[in-house]
Amino acid sequence: MVNKSQLNLLLELAKECSECAKKYFYSENSNQFSLKEDNSPLTKADLEVSKMAVNGLKKIFPNDTIVSEETYSNKFKPLNKRFWLIDPIDGTKEFINGNINFTINFALIFLNKSMFGLIVQPCTDTVWYSFNNKSWKIENSYNFLDSSEIKTSTFSPKNIKLIASKNHSDSELEHWINIIEPKSKVNIGSSLKFCIIAEGKADIYPRNNPTMEWDTAAGHSILKCAGGNIFTKNGLELHYGKFNLKNSAFIAINQYKSFIPKTIFLGNDFFDLQLYNNKINKAVNSLKDSKLVCFPTETVYGLGAKGDSIKAINSVYEAKKRPKNNPLIAHVQNAKKAKDLAEFTDLANKLAAEFWPGPLTIVLQIKKKQLSNILSQGRSTLGIRVPSHPVALDLIERLDVPILAPSANKSGGVSPTSAKHVLNDFKNLKNKSWEISEILDYGNCEIGIESTVIDCRGDLPIILREGYITSELIEDKLKIKPINLQKNNELLSPGMLSKHYAPKTKVLINQKDYIKGSGLLAFGVVPKNFSKAINKFNLSPTENFLQAAELLYEGLRYLDSLNLKFIQVMPIKNVGLGTAINDRLTRASNNE
Ligand code: TXA
Ligand code: MG
């Protein structure tokens, strides 16, 4: 990503930018500013440091795209897999008020993840950066040789040191903070919060108000390489290159994957922990009674059945009208539980360590155990996944039996990404032989398409269903190239029917000309040929795959509700997450 000589050049650049910022900070006019369109303040230092940082980076990385807070336009398409994000002065308010807690931030994004971060606090001449999967700090110099390693502390729920933003608080966040009862709380502006956690001096930083990607990206990489991470409400690692470069609520925490659902979660229901507990316990009891429960995951809503109950398993098939030859995924709370059920290969261990909890389903040989046999319904293989959504994890943990859960839609139809979608598909929540007794509504699913399903029985990963975890991502992390199964291999994945994910209205893909009476599922700028299309749903005006995946099923469902002649879909590039989107659309458009 960044080699040692480039790092040295970056440290030189950081020093130059730092001197420039200090020159303005200690000048007479340091408190002068104008207002940007969004009413945030802009100083001369913002503009000058931005120019210096962009030009300096261009020299070190001539082929990279560089985005600075001050040069960003909302037309920016993060199509490049690799780009830089710069925040020339993070904490402009601090700067104006004469407070030294402002920083300069450089981050490198690759495949939607923050891969490198460097933060400078000019007034103290301190640098924090990530390099070779570790994090480092340099005090009073910009010399690589003066670096010392930093690490996060261990999370302990009874002794939480909390750090919060200085200028952004809200009643929801305050309430949540009261619930988790931190031992101490400090407020500080700018990205220094991430550095402080990375150094082990604080444990968590919860944030409810939106931030921009350049506010978090550099700190994110530094925190991650020091042992922590940043999670969204869906329990996913915060990702970058979103359509408007805007982050949703998050929690930065000192321990990677130490996500504790009951306490580490921001959400409306958590105003009232008792209400939440009641709801979840009721759902657990329903599952124990072999009834079905709909629950959110980071991908789509699932229709859950207690995995050791043959009655519950049968009702899933009946409720969905799902062919019996299509196996269900077992959802478990961690890799250890998964290992009780199936024979883990080296490959499975590597993939699980990298991508669990998260949107990945691993197919393995079952262990000869009664529970594995029931879960796999007599098959020799089982698909297993550890979801990241805190509510899903909490439900599984409290039940303490794997939950078998397909997407909560009728078989062959469009998956649900909200509780409203589930209610639409199941107008009757019960029948003679089955009952959906609870729908746990926790908002929209962040990813929007189902997990990637990978056969891990051999040495090479075989992708049975594409998803958010793309081949590129696996190749980058594991240095192995996955095999991509041709779409219709019914032998390996019996459930991968060629027609699937389909609305009632006929779907036509790769459309270039408008057909009268049809609706348009657009992607990018709508060309003139479609100017007559009245019913439109744009998956992403800026061709952003993350946005398109999130909105895909919402868009298909919306157009399907209008009783149109066809749903015409504009071409979508078949790279990265685009291949998963195209896979679903191809299946939606198939006739049989
Ligand atoms: O994101 C997801 O995976 C969602 C959420 C709820 O977790 N679940 C989901 O389940 O999409 P479902 O049942 O709609 O799709 C499961 C897919 C099917 O294509 C099925 O054939 C495949 O996974 N699958 C499950 N077990 C398998 C196995 N043992 N061998 C091969 N394919 C399997
Ligand atoms: Mg499904």
Side-chain angles (χ1 to χ4, degrees):
M1 286 284 117
V2 169
N3 63 34
K4 195 160 161 211
S5 67
Q6 289 165 332
L7 176 66
N8 275 315
L9 293 171
L10 277 165
L11 286 168
E12 268 174 43
L13 176 63
K15 183 176 180 190
E16 227 182 294
C17 292
S18 173
E19 296 302 330
C20 174
K22 272 193 284 190
K23 190 181 83 198
Y24 286 103
F25 184 72
Y26 292 116
S27 79
E28 267 172 33
N29 306 329
S30 68
N31 59 357
Q32 285 183 5
F33 62 90
S34 56
L35 284 180
K36 290 199 273 192
E37 254 174 42
D38 64 355
N39 267 334
S40 64
L42 177 72
T43 66
K44 210 155 178 217
D46 286 289
L47 294 171
E48 289 302 313
V49 175
S50 176
K51 225 187 282 165
M52 189 175 272
V54 171
N55 291 337
L57 264 186
K58 260 191 202 146
K59 279 196 204 126
I60 310 175
F61 302 97
N63 299 325
D64 285 356
T65 304
I66 297 158
V67 182
S68 149
E69 171 167 16
E70 308 315 333
T71 61
Y72 170 68
S73 109
N74 58 11
K75 293 198 180 68
F76 170 66
K77 294 183 196 170
L79 289 181
N80 304 51
K81 289 184 209 157
R82 182 180 154 124
F83 65 97
W84 287 84
L85 280 172
I86 301 174
D87 192 344
I89 303 283
D90 184 29
T92 300
K93 283 192 188 121
E94 312 277 351
F95 183 98
I96 293 165
N97 294 332
N99 183 319
I100 63 164
N101 289 338
F102 64 90
T103 57
I104 306 171
N105 297 256
F106 298 84
L108 175 62
I109 308 300
F110 182 64
L111 295 175
N112 302 108
K113 300 252 187 278
S114 178
M115 305 299 268
F116 170 83
L118 187 149
I119 294 178
V120 195
Q121 182 180 22
C123 295
T124 58
D125 288 313
T126 309
V127 184
W128 295 261
Y129 66 92
S130 58
F131 189 63
N132 277 346
N133 282 323
K134 288 183 178 168
S135 287
W136 310 86
K137 181 181 182 182
I138 311 176
E139 284 174 286
N140 300 315
S141 97
Y142 294 82
N143 187 342
F144 175 80
L145 297 173
D146 294 337
S147 305
S148 47
E149 198 187 339
I150 53 172
K151 280 186 182 156
T152 57
S153 54
T154 314
F155 187 81
S156 121
K158 291 216 165 65
N159 188 17
I160 296 176
K161 289 199 232 49
L162 185 129
I163 189 160
S165 170
K166 200 163 174 191
N167 303 308
H168 303 90
S169 191
D170 60 281
S171 56
E172 193 179 321
L173 185 68
E174 286 305 319
H175 184 84
W176 182 82
I177 290 174
N178 287 338
I179 290 175
I180 67 158
E181 296 180 336
K183 259 269 155 63
S184 65
K185 180 184 162 204
V186 279
N187 293 82
I188 189 164
S190 86
S191 59
L192 285 173
K193 293 186 275 294
F194 301 110
C195 303
I196 292 169
I197 304 178
E199 284 186 40
K201 293 178 184 156
D203 304 312
I204 59 170
Y205 159 34
R207 175 77 184 218
N208 212 17
N209 303 82
T211 48
M212 296 300 291
E213 292 186 2
W214 50 70
D215 294 324
T216 57
H220 190 163
S221 174
I222 294 166
L223 176 58
K224 193 173 171 188
C225 294
N229 212 339
I230 306 182
F231 297 103
T232 67
K233 279 188 187 184
N234 276 211
L236 282 168
E237 180 176 330
L238 190 66
H239 52 234
Y240 296 88
K242 297 183 287 292
F243 77 98
N244 52 6
L245 300 193
K246 210 172 252 175
N247 296 323
S248 54
F250 65 76
I251 287 178
I253 187 160
N254 58 352
Q255 265 180 310
Y256 184 46
K257 292 182 177 175
S258 74
F259 209 76
I260 298 161
K262 287 174 285 285
T263 49
I264 309 301
F265 184 73
L266 294 163
N268 288 336
D269 231 30
F270 293 72
F271 270 123
D272 190 342
L273 208 56
Q274 184 142 25
L275 178 75
Y276 169 76
N277 279 328
N278 288 347
K279 270 197 209 171
I280 296 285
N281 287 335
K282 205 163 152 234
V284 169
N285 287 334
S286 297
L287 287 168
K288 284 185 181 158
D289 275 351
S290 294
K291 291 175 189 155
L292 306 178
V293 168
C294 266
F295 62 97
T297 80
E298 66 282 16
T299 57
V300 299
Y301 271 76
L303 183 61
K306 187 161 171 268
D308 61 0
S309 159
I310 291 167
K311 183 177 168 213
I313 299 172
N314 286 336
S315 26
V316 170
Y317 281 92
E318 278 160 34
K320 278 189 62 110
K321 299 204 171 71
R322 178 173 173 119
K324 269 283 191 179
N325 68 349
N326 189 355
L328 303 171
I329 297 170
H331 295 67
V332 296
Q333 64 266 52
N334 53 41
K336 190 167 168 282
K337 291 280 175 185
K339 286 174 193 179
D340 285 346
L341 304 169
E343 303 288 355
F344 266 63
T345 54
D346 279 354
L347 176 65
N349 279 319
K350 280 188 203 148
L351 280 164
E354 187 63 48
F355 298 111
W356 276 355
L360 171 72
T361 297
I362 295 179
V363 172
L364 289 166
Q365 195 73 30
I366 60 163
K367 279 193 172 160
K368 291 203 166 54
K369 281 186 169 179
Q370 200 191 356
L371 180 58
S372 303
N373 237 318
I374 300 175
L375 289 166
S376 68
Q377 300 152 76
R379 286 181 195 84
S380 60
T381 63
L382 180 65
I384 314 177
R385 136 168 157 81
V386 179
S388 72
H389 198 293
V391 173
L393 280 177
D394 200 14
L395 188 69
I396 303 164
E397 233 158 67
R398 291 191 201 211
L399 181 68
D400 204 24
V401 175
I403 295 182
L404 284 174
S407 50
N409 54 283
K410 297 276 179 179
S411 182
V414 180
S415 294
T417 52
S418 71
K420 194 185 86 203
H421 293 166
V422 179
L423 281 169
N424 253 328
D425 287 6
F426 293 94
K427 299 239 158 49
N428 298 318
L429 291 176
K430 57 169 134 176
N431 198 304
K432 266 186 257 139
S433 53
W434 53 269
E435 176 177 350
I436 300 174
S437 64
E438 247 82 43
I439 297 177
L440 298 170
D441 182 355
Y442 287 91
N444 293 352
C445 303
E446 188 174 333
I447 291 177
I449 56 173
E450 305 81 352
S451 62
T452 308
V453 180
I454 303 186
D455 185 334
C456 293
R457 289 174 295 169
D459 294 333
L460 288 177
I462 303 175
I463 298 188
L464 305 178
R465 177 175 74 183
E466 298 185 73
Y468 176 81
I469 310 280
T470 56
S471 302
E472 279 115 317
L473 199 57
I474 295 168
E475 216 180 319
D476 178 57
K477 294 284 177 199
L478 268 61
K479 313 292 171 222
I480 10 182
K481 208 178 168 69
I483 298 168
N484 220 323
L485 246 217
Q486 275 313 304
K487 307 255 143 73
N488 291 317
N489 195 329
E490 310 268 320
L491 264 179
L492 266 157
S493 196
M496 296 297 274
L497 310 175
S498 51
K499 183 178 169 76
H500 217 117
Y501 314 103
K504 296 188 299 297
T505 317
K506 192 168 161 49
V507 174
L508 305 173
I509 53 174
N510 290 321
Q511 298 292 291
K512 304 219 163 81
D513 292 298
Y514 177 60
I515 303 170
K516 211 174 152 210
S518 304
L520 178 68
L521 193 63
F523 181 71
V525 176
V526 178
K528 265 211 186 101
N529 291 2
F530 283 107
S531 55
K532 291 217 173 87
I534 304 162
N535 297 300
K536 281 189 239 127
F537 186 101
N538 203 328
L539 292 174
S540 176
T542 55
E543 296 175 44
N544 186 295
F545 289 139
L546 294 168
Q547 188 183 25
E550 191 182 338
L551 297 178
L552 178 65
Y553 294 145
E554 174 72 32
L556 280 173
R557 281 170 179 269
Y558 166 71
L559 292 173
D560 197 27
S561 71
L562 303 177
N563 290 317
L564 302 162
K565 189 165 175 192
F566 299 116
I567 295 175
Q568 291 191 274
V569 188
M570 275 171 61
I572 295 173
K573 277 201 199 79
N574 210 30
V575 291
L577 192 49
T579 59
I581 297 170
N582 277 316
D583 166 72
R584 304 303 191 272
L585 285 166
T586 307
R587 287 178 208 280
S589 71
N590 274 344
N591 282 325
E592 346 82 71

